[in-house]
Amino acid sequence: MILRIRASERSYPIYIGQGLLDQGELLQRHVPGKRVLIVTNTTIAPLYLDRCRAALLSGNSGLQVEDVILPDGEQYKSLDVLQKVWDKALETRLDRGTTFLALGGGVIGDMTGFAAAAYQRGVHFIQVPTTVMAMVDSSVGGKTGVNHPLGKNMIGAFYQPRCVLIDVDTLNSLPDRELASGISEIIKYGLIRDPALFEWLEANMDRLLARDAEAMTYAIERSCINKSEVVSADEKEGGVRATLNLGHTFGHAMESSQGYGVWLHGEAVSAGTVMAADMSVRLGWIDPSIASRTKALLEKAKLPTEPPKGMTPEEFWKYMAVDKKVLDGALRLILLRGPLGSCVVTGDFDPAALDATLNTSCH
Amino acid sequence: MILRIRASERSYPIYIGQGLLDQGELLQRHVPGKRVLIVTNTTIAPLYLDRCRAALLSGNSGLQVEDVILPDGEQYKSLDVLQKVWDKALETRLDRGTTFLALGGGVIGDMTGFAAAAYQRGVHFIQVPTTVMAMVDSSVGGKTGVNHPLGKNMIGAFYQPRCVLIDVDTLNSLPDRELASGISEIIKYGLIRDPALFEWLEANMDRLLARDAEAMTYAIERSCINKSEVVSADEKEGGVRATLNLGHTFGHAMESSQGYGVWLHGEAVSAGTVMAADMSVRLGWIDPSIASRTKALLEKAKLPTEPPKGMTPEEFWKYMAVDKKVLDGALRLILLRGPLGSCVVTGDFDPAALDATLNTSCH
């Protein structure tokens, strides 16, 4: 199936289905120049690099295809590692008409997007995500970047791809933890705006965990639609986009405190989502059953529902203070409010509820 | 005087005059948040940092003003040095509403602009240029970035300032070589599209070299107008903007071959402009008098008119091949063609003329 995503300056397609990586003409259609740099990592390269290169060269396309293979993991989402992409591009004399193709998960997508945004002030960009997280989160919205030792995603750009190619078959090689991590973002879409998706997930989590292609295609499609609706609404409403960060302020603090790469992003978001739901109950903003259903669904997906052992409320405060959602010094959080599928972005809450959630969650 | 520059998404003012750095309300008007990070260098900080800070704080503005002082010179226009800006911003917990203010020459302006473009995916940006080069070149067009060991300005972004404040009094502290370097860009505007400016420069070069404030204000204003007309025309015509790079393809090769910072940018552009004029004569595209008047004017400004001693045609080729103006492998050059004030961007020329220019110019 094809979704068409409207971005501020132009629109681009997301192709979702089985076996798409072998349909070379799909990719070639979105390469405007003669040169492609595939950016991937040491885990994905042995699995899909040759197939991706073959797709780009099929039918004697005449493309020059280079590649650069980065180390795998969130701890390598740094400016230092990113420089290897630019080094390779300049060593092989890739010009302004080149297309950078991200083959991998969210880290590879975010890094390649920023590499493309900044290389010669902007070259073409294509995403071929190979994790659920990258498929449902990075495919829409144009956020790219790298981490800084003092904060996640602190250096980056908004940059749109020319197309996103999602071959759900690539999920068969995904480790269980990575699968669950991506599912936590799908659950998030249900919580913030799509109660029908949340209920579908309650009924179909087993199929997702079994990597059923049909269920996976449906969940990815619903997620991309939800995200694109939020992102395009933000151009008018201002601030709605922040709802996508449900659980992320707490989650980023957990990732920062442990050092990147110990927990997967979706694992931290999962524990952060439980905290946000807990705080929403304490504020009297949601029925307690929503928090318990949320925790049960995340547990069913085998995701963590508590912060890392030993993490203190003081550590949460330290890292939340530099979070991007802190505007002019006031902490704003994404919290649930109302029936299932409703949330708010607000700095207007009783700080005692936050303290209680931090104190109860830390153990 | 105030020029208003139209950029793609919004417009911004350029203030040009004497004593502007002491008019705090001018700067404060363009700071939307509560925090400013002044980025400057070791040469400019002792001269103007305190005055700039005082201007931002005048009238009890309540702003939080931080600063970061970088080493001075084109050789420090690197990603490594740029990281110091992001380190400082994160160490002092500057949020998304912060304004980055560039206080210095073109290197500081380019680096600060890119730092602002990428910090938390984009914060506000103000330019206070203190060199002629930065005033007439970096004030308009939104090009920001850093160098890579394999090429100049290879990593960057298009990013527009909220305002540019040009206090011509700051030129009184500018070294003679820097002054001349900036003047070479003013001469360029005359050559590519403004014959009246070229003739005014032939008559008034002594006043510019004496830093006469009135003459300087006129030359800067004309240059900014010329550049903004070219940049906005490019949104329709595609490619006209490249004419601003007259002399730059040769010039960049000279800078790359020597290592950044040995010659100033405008010095390399000056020698490159003489080469472009020489090649244009060989092609029969301009009257030889235009080339000789160009060389005479650059000499009057005390600028170099030949490549660095010992540089070979082979070195030119090596560095020109990665130049951003090489599109899909074909070398395009900006050359003069027609009466004074006319130029073309073309890959359609007799390569023998290029060889002859390279062989004659290298010594």
Side-chain angles (χ1 to χ4, degrees):
Chain A
M1 65 144 312
I2 306 179
L3 277 178
R4 185 150 280 278
I5 303 299
R6 267 177 231 95
S8 53
E9 290 179 7
R10 52 187 175 73
S11 71
Y12 64 89
I14 300 181
Y15 303 100
I16 311 173
Q18 292 189 267
L20 300 188
L21 198 47
D22 298 313
Q23 296 180 29
E25 76 283 4
L26 267 188
L27 279 179
Q28 291 174 27
R29 194 186 300 167
H30 299 282
V31 175
K34 295 177 185 162
R35 290 162 184 179
V36 180
L37 176 64
I38 302 174
V39 183
T40 188
N41 67 32
T42 48
T43 305
I44 295 300
L47 296 168
Y48 302 114
L49 178 54
D50 284 347
R51 272 175 68 193
C52 186
R53 191 189 288 110
L56 288 163
L57 295 172
S58 71
N60 294 312
S61 67
L63 291 174
Q64 175 193 342
V65 180
E66 306 285 349
D67 63 77
V68 57
I69 301 173
L70 305 180
D72 182 19
E74 180 87 20
Q75 67 270 45
Y76 299 110
K77 190 177 173 181
S78 68
L79 213 46
D80 279 354
V81 174
L82 188 66
Q83 291 212 47
K84 293 182 196 297
V85 179
W86 293 323
D87 291 347
K88 178 73 181 196
L90 283 162
E91 281 158 13
T92 51
R93 306 203 166 187
L94 298 180
D95 64 18
R96 275 183 171 167
T98 301
T99 300
F100 285 16
L101 186 152
L103 176 67
V107 171
I108 285 292
D110 284 6
M111 292 178 79
T112 307
F114 184 47
Y119 185 64
Q120 303 206 15
R121 300 195 192 93
V123 295
H124 309 299
F125 172 41
I126 285 178
Q127 281 181 287
V128 181
T130 60
T131 66
V132 177
M133 176 63 77
M135 292 171 182
V136 302
D137 184 41
S138 323
S139 298
V140 181
K143 286 192 176 178
T144 71
V146 294
N147 298 329
H148 183 280
L150 293 176
K152 217 169 127 64
N153 294 320
M154 284 290 150
I155 311 300
F158 285 97
Y159 205 65
Q160 306 294 341
R162 297 185 70 85
C163 82
V164 179
L165 188 125
I166 295 177
D167 186 337
V168 294
D169 289 346
T170 60
L171 297 179
N172 293 328
S173 55
L174 194 66
D176 289 342
R177 266 183 75 191
E178 296 266 3
L179 182 76
S181 174
I183 289 173
S184 90
E185 294 283 346
I186 303 177
I187 294 170
K188 176 195 76 180
Y189 294 116
L191 277 172
I192 62 169
R193 70 193 307 275
D194 193 344
L197 175 60
F198 190 91
E199 284 159 6
W200 182 90
L201 287 165
E202 290 182 313
N204 290 278
M205 185 55 72
D206 293 338
R207 290 175 67 201
L208 285 187
L209 294 177
R211 298 154 205 249
D212 174 286
E214 190 195 1
M216 201 55 90
T217 299
Y218 175 77
I220 293 166
E221 179 196 343
R222 291 292 315 162
S223 297
C224 290
I225 291 172
N226 273 303
K227 181 154 186 189
S228 80
E229 285 175 358
V230 171
V231 168
S232 53
D234 204 38
E235 292 174 355
K236 288 160 281 173
E237 293 176 47
V240 177
R241 185 168 181 153
T243 62
L244 297 170
N245 287 319
L246 175 68
H248 284 55
T249 299
F250 297 123
H252 283 174
M254 295 180 219
E255 290 177 284
S256 297
S257 115
Q258 298 185 95
Y260 299 125
V262 180
W263 269 17
L264 297 173
H265 177 60
E267 292 173 335
V269 167
S270 171
T273 298
V274 173
M275 290 175 73
D278 176 80
M279 192 172 151
S280 305
V281 172
R282 287 175 195 276
L283 290 163
W285 290 356
I286 56 170
D287 188 274
S289 70
I290 295 179
S292 55
R293 285 170 70 188
T294 299
K295 193 172 177 188
L297 187 55
L298 292 164
E299 277 170 353
K300 196 166 182 187
K302 298 179 181 116
L303 285 158
T305 54
E306 293 178 338
K309 274 220 181 327
M311 188 168 171
T312 63
E314 290 67 36
E315 283 179 281
F316 270 100
W317 276 114
K318 177 180 163 196
Y319 289 104
M320 291 193 302
V322 293
D323 191 274
K324 292 190 296 303
K325 283 160 288 300
V326 178
L327 191 67
D328 280 332
L331 179 66
R332 284 152 59 85
L333 289 173
I334 297 93
L335 297 168
L336 303 178
R337 185 162 200 169
L340 182 66
S342 315
C343 67
V344 289
V345 183
T346 183
D348 187 15
F349 50 76
D350 182 353
L354 175 54
D355 282 331
T357 292
L358 289 176
N359 289 326
T360 317
S361 304
C362 293
H363 56 284
Chain B
M1 67 145 309
I2 307 178
L3 277 178
R4 187 150 277 279
I5 304 298
R6 266 177 232 97
S8 53
E9 289 179 8
R10 51 187 176 75
S11 71
Y12 64 89
I14 301 181
Y15 304 100
I16 312 173
Q18 292 189 267
L20 301 189
L21 198 47
D22 299 313
Q23 297 180 29
E25 76 283 5
L26 267 188
L27 279 179
Q28 290 174 27
R29 195 185 301 167
H30 298 282
V31 175
K34 296 177 186 162
R35 290 163 184 178
V36 181
L37 176 65
I38 302 174
V39 183
T40 187
N41 67 33
T42 49
T43 305
I44 296 300
L47 296 169
Y48 303 114
L49 178 54
D50 284 346
R51 272 175 67 194
C52 187
R53 192 189 288 111
L56 288 164
L57 296 172
S58 70
N60 295 313
S61 67
L63 291 173
Q64 175 192 344
V65 180
E66 306 284 348
D67 63 76
V68 57
I69 301 174
L70 306 180
D72 183 20
E74 179 88 19
Q75 67 271 43
Y76 299 109
K77 189 177 173 181
S78 68
L79 213 47
D80 280 352
V81 175
L82 188 65
Q83 293 213 46
K84 294 181 195 300
V85 179
W86 293 323
D87 291 347
K88 178 75 182 195
L90 283 162
E91 282 158 13
T92 51
R93 306 201 166 188
L94 298 180
D95 64 18
R96 274 184 172 168
T98 301
T99 301
F100 284 17
L101 186 152
L103 175 67
V107 171
I108 286 293
D110 284 6
M111 291 177 79
T112 308
F114 184 47
Y119 185 64
Q120 302 205 15
R121 299 195 194 94
V123 295
H124 309 301
F125 173 41
I126 285 178
Q127 281 182 288
V128 181
T130 60
T131 66
V132 178
M133 177 63 78
M135 293 171 182
V136 303
D137 185 41
S138 322
S139 300
V140 182
K143 286 190 175 179
T144 72
V146 294
N147 299 328
H148 184 281
L150 293 176
K152 218 170 126 62
N153 294 322
M154 284 290 150
I155 310 302
F158 285 98
Y159 205 66
Q160 306 294 341
R162 295 185 73 84
C163 82
V164 180
L165 187 123
I166 296 177
D167 186 337
V168 293
D169 290 346
T170 60
L171 297 179
N172 293 327
S173 55
L174 194 67
D176 289 343
R177 268 183 74 191
E178 296 266 4
L179 182 76
S181 174
I183 290 173
S184 91
E185 295 281 347
I186 303 177
I187 295 171
K188 176 196 76 180
Y189 293 117
L191 277 172
I192 62 168
R193 70 193 308 273
D194 192 343
L197 175 60
F198 190 91
E199 283 159 8
W200 182 90
L201 289 165
E202 289 182 313
N204 291 279
M205 186 55 72
D206 293 337
R207 291 175 67 201
L208 285 188
L209 294 176
R211 298 153 204 249
D212 174 287
E214 191 195 1
M216 201 57 88
T217 299
Y218 175 79
I220 292 167
E221 179 197 343
R222 292 292 315 162
S223 297
C224 290
I225 291 172
N226 273 301
K227 182 153 186 190
S228 79
E229 286 175 359
V230 171
V231 168
S232 52
D234 203 40
E235 292 175 354
K236 288 159 281 175
E237 293 176 47
V240 176
R241 185 169 182 152
T243 63
L244 297 170
N245 288 319
L246 176 69
H248 284 55
T249 301
F250 296 124
H252 283 174
M254 295 180 219
E255 290 178 282
S256 298
S257 116
Q258 296 184 95
Y260 300 125
V262 181
W263 269 19
L264 298 173
H265 176 62
E267 292 173 335
V269 167
S270 172
T273 299
V274 173
M275 291 174 72
D278 175 80
M279 193 172 150
S280 305
V281 172
R282 287 176 196 277
L283 290 163
W285 289 357
I286 57 169
D287 188 274
S289 69
I290 295 178
S292 55
R293 285 169 69 187
T294 299
K295 192 172 177 188
L297 187 56
L298 292 164
E299 279 170 349
K300 198 167 179 185
K302 302 185 178 109
L303 285 158
T305 53
E306 292 177 338
K309 274 219 181 331
M311 188 170 171
T312 62
E314 290 68 35
E315 283 178 281
F316 271 98
W317 276 114
K318 177 179 162 197
Y319 289 105
M320 292 194 302
V322 291
D323 191 274
K324 292 190 294 301
K325 284 160 287 301
V326 177
L327 193 66
D328 279 332
L331 179 65
R332 285 152 59 86
L333 290 172
I334 298 94
L335 298 168
L336 304 177
R337 185 163 201 170
L340 181 65
S342 315
C343 68
V344 290
V345 183
T346 182
D348 186 16
F349 51 74
D350 182 352
L354 175 54
D355 283 332
T357 292
L358 289 176
N359 289 324
T360 316
S361 304
C362 293
H363 56 281

